Amino acid sequence: ATWRWVLDTNVMGIIHGMQAFVPEMEAEGGEKHIVNTASAAGLYSQHRATMAPYVASKHCAFVACQALNTELTLRGSNVKAHVLCPSIVASNLVNTSRYFLSQHAEVGEELDETSQKFDQRLNSEGMSAGQVADLTFAGIEAGNFLI
């Protein structure tokens, strides 16, 4: 259940978004930009076993965005693709994921010690959503594929 949930969210979510929006964006004309979120985890492998579904999905998301970028470039599209790969971002990711797991796997809702430490690090050291947005707009303006 965990692998399916993570892949459906992190991979199929962006694929469905690309399929739904890119044709409309191209048909509308003018310069357009699509930004898909992978993660810094899509650029390297983490060695914590519990991160396997997440890391694998982010690698796949990154490669899907590369493929889209290649296809759009080859056909001279007015749509520019970008992939957002932030490092840690302050969020409720750990608790939300743990809740899902508690509903679909044999784990409790309480966070284990490793997850508690990661959640604390995420929210004490992570970038704010506003900082990520600023970096995203700056990357688009600079014409960067990788943001």
Side-chain angles (χ1 to χ4, degrees), residues 49-145:
T50 59
M51 295 293 290
Y54 179 79
V55 172
S57 73
K58 294 305 185 172
H59 278 276
C60 189
F62 184 84
V63 172
C65 295
Q66 282 183 313
L68 175 66
N69 185 53
T70 299
E71 291 173 13
L72 293 174
T73 300
L74 288 175
R75 68 176 181 243
S77 177
N78 60 308
V79 179
K80 307 299 178 209
H82 308 272
V83 62
L84 176 63
C85 294
S87 184
I88 58 173
V89 178
S91 70
N92 199 27
L93 175 69
V94 175
N95 287 305
T96 303
S97 298
R98 189 61 177 203
Y99 176 77
F100 173 84
L101 290 173
S102 73
Q103 303 301 306
H104 297 85
E106 294 182 14
V107 297
E109 286 187 41
E110 297 299 317
L111 295 176
D112 58 78
E113 184 179 343
T114 302
S115 296
Q116 287 176 4
K117 287 179 182 177
F118 181 65
D119 186 55
Q120 289 168 353
R121 179 174 173 242
L122 194 70
N123 288 293
S124 65
E125 299 175 22
M127 291 184 283
S128 70
Q131 289 171 309
V132 175
D134 290 344
L135 289 171
T136 302
F137 284 113
I140 291 169
E141 289 177 13
N144 296 336
F145 167 71

Side-chain angles (χ1 to χ4, degrees), residues 25-38:
M25 295 166 77
E26 286 183 311
E28 189 174 292
E31 185 176 315
K32 304 285 188 273
H33 299 270
I34 185 164
V35 179
N36 290 306
T37 302

